[in-house]
């Protein structure tokens, strides 16, 4: 594809050099540039890609998309200057890979909690219904059963379009995708054509990046603002921001709720750790999930399936066979008769939802919660998480999560700051996560429940820039074996 074809329709303030040069690939990481590639220089939050233009040219870049015209253009290199490369990179990537999303039924899922669960369950549901599917999620990307490891909730625009092109080539008809607030704000999904969008809920998260809750909310909302008229938008009517998300969308709006009138409704008939009996749109169904928040997740899945043309009966039968997503309300039974639950809950609201789900099951034992908070992230949620844990648990062990470049004890102290003297009587602090989990198991009696929160599916602990192997479920199984 020529450079002129690639930037067709993009508003440029200047094109310097031969516009018809052939482009062999598109990159935003100068280290990955190969002979004949287009390098897109993006001004990021940490690094300005413009400073790597010489490196990209050295590695063989044939063209540069940038925001600043070069003072000394290099011979045999073509430059195009635009107002914002971040705004244009998605369109360029989409065009280079043949606009794959236009030929797929692409459904995006956004919200604070539940994105991974909803996207993954839709992927599993539609495969059970006989369709070839792709999945783009925090835990892993899949191309019709083939696992592609995931480093971010949403890949960069080039990697994203390349994955979508591979999904199309593999015969995929549907693709289900998490859309994080970072990805939306950074235009990583720019240029994609969505068949539908789903909103799960909105609570405090990522304020280290977005600075204010309003900025965070508006990033999510802009996803729905950009949906085409041909798309559907399914929103959670039980969330106070549910209708805010869709107030300016051109898409067809549908709602789901377990509390009020909505297009898709459900109620809990019975609830156990092994699953629930629900009534969804008047039809009883058994599911292998527990907790009200999972009822909302399942309703979002059901609503999307119906909007994608599936009938009630076939959808509910397939939903009854679905399992929990890795690291989301994962339940393990100890030989001593207590239950351990591993969950990714790493925000105050997610922690509250999981603990409420445990309370919803008519247990006779105590609840012991092991939790921490991530380093180099929103510090304001730390005391809130500790408070939620103490309010809904009989005992809390505050420990290390992914401390990253912070001292784990400093993070623990930030969490303790949210507790009064009475609260702190319930609390132990053990910085070593393995020892914290071991202590919880030593304290637990028959019929008790241990919640190990924060890391879920993760198989590492990030300390001082290094990812060390660590798996909460693996640690629990080792302790049970001993």
């Amino acid at each position: 594809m020529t450079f002129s074809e690639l930037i067709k329709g993009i508003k440029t303030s200047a094109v310097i050099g031969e516009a018809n040069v052939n482009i062999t690939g598109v990159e935003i990481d100068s280290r990955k540039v190969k002979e004949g590639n287009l390098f897109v220089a993006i001004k990021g939050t940490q690094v300005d890609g413009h400073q790597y233009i010489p490196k990209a040219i050295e590695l063989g870049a044939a063209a540069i998309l940038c925001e600043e015209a070069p003072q000394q253009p290099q011979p045999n290199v073509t430059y195009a200057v635009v107002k914002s490369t971040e705004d244009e990179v998605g369109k360029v990537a989409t065009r280079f890979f043949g606009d794959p999303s236009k030929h797929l039924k692409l459904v995006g899922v956004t919200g604070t909690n539940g994105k991974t669960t909803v996207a993954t369950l839709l992927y599993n549901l539609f495969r059970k219904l006989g369709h070839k599917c792709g999945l783009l999620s925090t835990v892993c990307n899949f191309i019709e059963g083939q696992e592609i490891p995931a480093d971010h909730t949403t890949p960069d625009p080039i990697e994203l379009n390349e994955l979508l092109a591979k999904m199309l080539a593999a015969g995929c008809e549907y693709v289900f995708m998490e859309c994080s607030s970072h990805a939306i704000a950074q235009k990583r999904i720019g240029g994609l054509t969505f068949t539908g969008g789903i909103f799960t809920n909105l609570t405090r998260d990522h304020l280290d990046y977005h600075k204010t809750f309003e900025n965070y909310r508006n990033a999510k909302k802009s996803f729905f603002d950009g949906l085409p008229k041909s798309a559907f938008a399914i929103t959670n009517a039980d969330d106070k921001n549910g209708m805010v998300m869709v107030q300016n969308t051109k898409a067809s709006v549908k709602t789901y709720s377990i509390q009020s009138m909505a297009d898709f409704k459900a109620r809990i008939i019975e609830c156990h750790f092994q699953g629930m009996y629900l009534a969804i749109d008047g039809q009883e169904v058994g599911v292998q999930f527990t907790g009200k928040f999972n009822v909302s997740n399942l309703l979002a899945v059901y609503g999307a399936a119906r909007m994608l043309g599936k009938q009630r009966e076939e959808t509910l039968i397939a939903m009854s066979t679905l399992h929990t997503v890795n690291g989301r309300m994962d339940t393990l039974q100890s030989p001593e008769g207590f239950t351990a639950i591993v969950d990714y809950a790493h925000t105050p609201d997610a922690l509250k939802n999981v603990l409420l789900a445990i309370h919803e099951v008519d247990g006779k034992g105590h609840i012991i919660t092991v939790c921490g908070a991530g380093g180099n992230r929103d510090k304001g949620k730390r005391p809130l998480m500790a408070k939620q844990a103490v309010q809904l648990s009989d005992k809390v062990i505050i420990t290390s999560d992914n401390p990253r470049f912070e001292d784990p004890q400093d993070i623990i102290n930030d969490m303790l700051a949210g507790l009064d003297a009475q609260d702190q009587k319930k609390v132990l602090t053990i910085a070593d996560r393995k020892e914290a989990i071991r202590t919880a198991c030593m304290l637990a009696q028959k019929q008790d429940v241990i919640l190990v929160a924060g890391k879920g599916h993760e198989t590492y602990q990030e300390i001082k820039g290094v990812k060390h192997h660590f798996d909460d479920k693996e640690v629990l199984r080792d302790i049970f074996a001993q």
Side-chain angles (χ1 to χ4, degrees), residues 177-190:
M177 171 183 174
E178 290 186 51
C179 297
S180 69
S181 58
H182 289 76
I184 299 166
Q186 294 167 8
K187 315 293 173 65
R188 284 188 236 158
I189 59 173

Side-chain angles (χ1 to χ4, degrees), residues 274-292:
Q274 290 72 34
M276 295 179 286
Y277 282 103
L278 307 176
I280 296 180
D281 276 359
Q283 177 73 46
E284 289 190 15
V285 60
V287 296
Q288 299 173 57
F289 300 81
T290 195
K292 285 182 181 177

Side-chain angles (χ1 to χ4, degrees), residues 242-443:
M243 299 316 294
V244 173
M245 288 293 132
V246 295
Q247 65 186 15
N248 298 118
T249 190
K250 297 184 285 290
S252 172
V253 175
K254 297 290 181 182
T255 57
Y256 64 93
S257 171
I258 59 174
Q259 296 175 0
S260 56
M261 293 296 293
D263 296 294
F264 306 112
K265 284 273 297 171
R267 64 181 177 86
I268 299 172
I269 299 169
E270 286 184 34
C271 185
H272 312 277
F273 281 130
Q274 290 72 34
M276 295 179 286
Y277 282 103
L278 307 176
I280 296 180
D281 276 359
Q283 177 73 46
E284 289 190 15
V285 60
V287 296
Q288 299 173 57
F289 300 81
T290 195
K292 285 182 181 177
F293 72 98
N294 267 323
V295 181
S296 290
N297 291 335
L298 289 166
L299 268 179
V301 170
Y302 174 77
R306 296 302 307 274
M307 294 304 292
L308 290 166
K310 299 302 171 187
Q311 297 302 308
R312 183 180 74 168
E313 291 292 327
E314 64 174 339
T315 301
L316 292 177
I317 289 170
M319 282 174 63
S320 70
T321 68
L322 297 176
H323 299 276
T324 55
V325 175
N326 182 25
R328 272 66 175 174
M329 286 293 282
D330 263 1
T331 304
L332 297 85
Q333 293 296 330
S334 79
E336 289 78 14
F338 63 82
T339 301
I341 295 172
V342 173
D343 194 272
Y344 188 51
H346 61 282
T347 66
D349 192 64
L351 195 57
K352 175 184 176 183
N353 284 337
V354 174
L355 286 165
L356 285 175
I358 294 169
H359 280 279
E360 284 160 20
V361 178
D362 187 22
K364 297 173 183 175
H366 294 100
I367 298 172
I368 304 168
T369 297
V370 179
C371 66
N376 303 107
R377 296 292 187 269
D378 176 16
K379 293 185 178 184
K381 70 181 182 182
R382 294 173 184 175
L384 303 177
M385 287 180 67
K387 191 72 175 177
Q388 286 288 9
V390 167
Q391 286 179 338
L392 292 168
S393 310
D394 297 288
K395 193 79 179 174
V396 176
I397 303 175
I398 297 179
T399 187
S400 182
D401 191 292
N402 288 318
R404 300 185 176 91
F405 291 96
E406 285 193 70
D407 184 327
Q409 192 58 50
D410 290 342
I411 300 171
I412 290 170
N413 291 340
D414 285 344
M415 296 185 76
L416 291 173
L419 308 177
D420 59 28
Q422 193 64 31
D423 291 334
Q424 293 201 23
K425 291 180 181 178
K426 285 187 178 184
V427 176
L428 291 174
T429 63
I430 303 173
D432 184 305
R433 191 173 180 90
K434 187 178 286 188
E435 286 308 309
I437 296 171
R438 189 186 307 278
T439 301
C441 292
M442 288 171 64
L443 291 172

